[in-house]
Amino acid sequence: MSGQSEHIVIVGAGAAGLMAARELARAGRRVTILEARERCGGRIHPLPAAEFGYPADGGAEFVHGEAPVTRGLLREAGLSLQEIEGEQWSFDGVDISREDRHDRHKAELQTVLRELTDDLTVADFLRRHFAGNDYAPMRHSIERMVEGYDAADPERASTLALREEWMDGGHSPQARINGGYGALIDFLAAECRRHGVAIQFGRVVSAVAEEGGAILVHCADGAVHGCDRVILTVPLPLLREMALPASARAKAAAADDIGFGNVVKILLRFTRPWWRERKQELADMTFLLSDQTIPVWWTRHPDQHPLLTGWFGGPRTVALAKLDRQGLIDAGVDSLAAIFGVPRDDIARDLVASAATNWLHDPFARGAYSWATPRTREAQALLARADGPVLFSGEALYRGRDMGTVEAALASGRETAEMILRG
């Protein structure tokens, strides 16, 4: 079979699917993308600029660390980044103060981490090496980061996978895309179409079958697409809902050894930045941490948009599973009222636009992003093998430090395309 005659179906028009499609189409392959939603982007979810005053992100928002693939695409697209600036604050139940990032046990923690050879779950690591009341504040800080930032379960998350993140103290650079992630997705989608990729929306793939030497991709609406290969770039939980050939099903079972976490994200736009008016020192605030129902908030600093974004990640988000969109917004307003000591009605009165998503409830995501368990690297190696007509790709399969990010999705999509092109 010549490369030019090969037809490849990609399931999912998120970052991994679009990246793989572009690379394959540029090399002359015939590519069709089947996307369940009526838009590209997947867990990148642009929100209307008319409502929020700028192109807001209801899903992925930050560019983490060096992110070379992302930054390279941004240069291609003529898009720029704004580095995150400002201070981190915290609410201890009584006062709001600048976050004290000094931990007197930091040197001891880093020594133990450097010497660690056998992987442990985070919970086991803390129990084995840092038990006792003296270490309680450090354990709380680590567990809060694992659950909130990584959306992971400390009882399952890999310590070795998180070691680099802890060693730099969470100080790796972070930035936002001017124009939001939606601008990058628009660029990739346009690139795909320019190279002849067919993108079909509203196509919920229910099964992939091998019949008579051909691959048939079945959609819930009855459409069937024949191809030579298929690349599945859907979030891990959706693999369990899809009928697959026996060989691919055996590989997909390994996904159970890769963690997949949930996030609740709330955006609240106000008539004015009332939090700065209430406490002048908060003019430089980026992040605000607390133990409220919605525990993490951030601003657009240094931009002056009067908007606060609430974030709750990890297994404890199950406590909010019964709340609908308005219930989540109410929980966010209540949390802000408790943090700032302001009547909730005063906060609600200044609210002009809002959005809230519990990503567990999204039928085409079933959660937010992946994280590593002690068995994840073996599972990734198995899933990423190009040893059959059904391939897997996405942020969960990237074996670098950026696993779980948009960077990981883009890099994995490119790697999958390169494997196919190498034959």
Side-chain angles (χ1 to χ4, degrees):
M1 179 192 306
S2 69
Q4 282 66 31
S5 64
E6 185 176 25
H7 180 206
I8 300 167
V9 167
I10 297 176
V11 181
L18 292 173
M19 189 66 166
R22 185 184 81 147
E23 299 306 296
L24 290 166
R26 288 204 299 190
R29 300 303 193 266
R30 179 184 164 211
V31 181
T32 300
I33 298 178
L34 303 178
E35 168 55 49
R37 304 177 192 273
E38 296 297 333
R39 61 171 178 83
C40 292
R43 286 164 281 169
I44 292 173
H45 184 202
L47 298 173
E51 289 186 27
F52 292 93
Y54 71 99
D57 288 300
E61 178 172 345
F62 298 104
V63 176
H64 301 280
E66 299 303 321
V69 181
T70 304
R71 291 173 188 261
L73 277 176
L74 291 173
R75 286 191 294 271
E76 282 188 59
L79 297 170
S80 61
L81 286 171
Q82 182 178 64
E83 301 296 330
I84 302 299
E85 302 175 10
E87 293 293 321
Q88 186 165 293
W89 291 69
S90 63
F91 175 64
D92 62 5
V94 179
D95 296 315
I96 299 174
S97 58
R98 278 189 170 85
E99 179 86 350
D100 182 6
R101 299 193 180 188
H102 173 72
D103 189 322
R104 60 195 177 93
H105 300 298
K106 180 179 178 180
E108 185 180 358
L109 172 64
Q110 294 196 346
T111 297
V112 175
L113 285 171
R114 274 193 296 268
E115 295 174 352
L116 189 67
T117 54
D118 296 329
D119 203 356
L120 299 168
T121 68
V122 170
D124 284 342
F125 171 79
L126 294 176
R127 283 191 286 261
R128 180 176 300 184
H129 296 283
F130 297 100
N133 292 335
D134 193 41
Y135 295 110
M138 185 183 76
R139 289 199 305 272
H140 177 71
S141 176
I142 289 174
E143 288 167 353
R144 182 168 67 177
M145 174 175 262
V146 170
E147 292 188 356
Y149 181 79
D150 299 294
D153 182 354
E155 294 291 346
R156 293 189 64 216
S158 159
T159 299
L160 289 181
L162 295 170
R163 177 163 55 185
E164 286 185 59
E165 180 183 306
W166 294 354
M167 294 296 280
D168 70 20
H171 296 152
S172 60
Q174 293 192 84
R176 292 186 183 92
I177 299 172
N178 290 313
Y181 263 116
L184 183 60
I185 290 298
D186 288 345
F187 169 74
L188 268 179
E191 281 281 283
C192 286
R193 291 187 174 103
R194 185 166 69 88
H195 290 287
V197 175
I199 303 177
Q200 298 187 19
F201 296 121
R203 298 295 195 191
V204 180
V205 172
S206 56
V208 177
E210 290 185 76
E211 296 180 17
I215 300 297
L216 299 179
V217 182
H218 296 264
C219 298
D221 62 2
V224 179
H225 298 262
C227 60
D228 301 296
R229 296 179 195 257
V230 61
I231 304 174
L232 302 177
T233 71
V234 299
L236 294 182
L238 300 187
L239 293 178
R240 304 186 190 102
E241 303 175 10
M242 197 178 296
L244 299 173
S247 58
R249 189 166 62 248
K251 289 170 64 175
D256 290 341
D257 290 327
I258 303 175
F260 195 80
N262 186 42
V263 161
V264 170
K265 188 174 184 182
I266 302 168
L267 287 85
L268 304 177
R269 181 189 180 191
F270 299 95
T271 57
R272 57 194 176 85
W274 53 265
W275 54 94
R276 293 204 299 265
E277 297 171 4
R278 185 165 182 83
K279 193 175 178 69
Q280 293 294 320
E281 303 96 303
L282 296 181
D284 66 354
M285 182 179 78
T286 49
F287 292 93
L288 173 60
L289 310 181
S290 74
D291 288 322
Q292 294 299 308
T293 301
I294 306 301
V296 180
W297 293 88
W298 62 77
T299 69
R300 290 284 301 178
H301 183 78
D303 285 349
Q304 298 301 305
H305 295 291
L307 185 134
L308 291 173
T309 299
W311 177 273
F312 185 22
R316 298 186 191 188
T317 58
V318 70
L320 305 184
K322 294 183 179 179
L323 296 184
D324 60 9
R325 174 188 174 279
Q326 187 57 51
L328 293 174
I329 292 168
D330 290 342
V333 171
D334 289 341
S335 295
L336 290 173
I339 292 170
F340 288 96
V342 178
R344 75 169 317 280
D345 289 346
D346 291 356
I347 296 176
R349 192 178 303 117
D350 279 335
L351 190 61
V352 295
S354 60
T357 301
N358 183 337
W359 281 92
L360 184 65
H361 293 167
D362 186 299
F364 306 125
R366 307 289 190 201
Y369 48 83
S370 60
W371 42 271
T373 74
R375 300 182 62 180
T376 285
R377 296 303 178 232
E378 294 176 20
Q380 288 175 320
L382 177 61
L383 279 159
R385 282 198 331 229
D387 55 356
V390 181
L391 287 75
F392 301 87
S393 187
E395 49 85 12
L397 303 188
Y398 185 68
R399 282 169 277 181
R401 178 182 175 181
D402 292 315
M403 175 189 177
T405 64
V406 176
E407 170 73 8
L410 294 169
S412 177
R414 187 172 68 179
E415 288 176 355
T416 304
E418 289 172 348
M419 282 194 297
I420 291 174
L421 296 176
R422 287 196 302 267

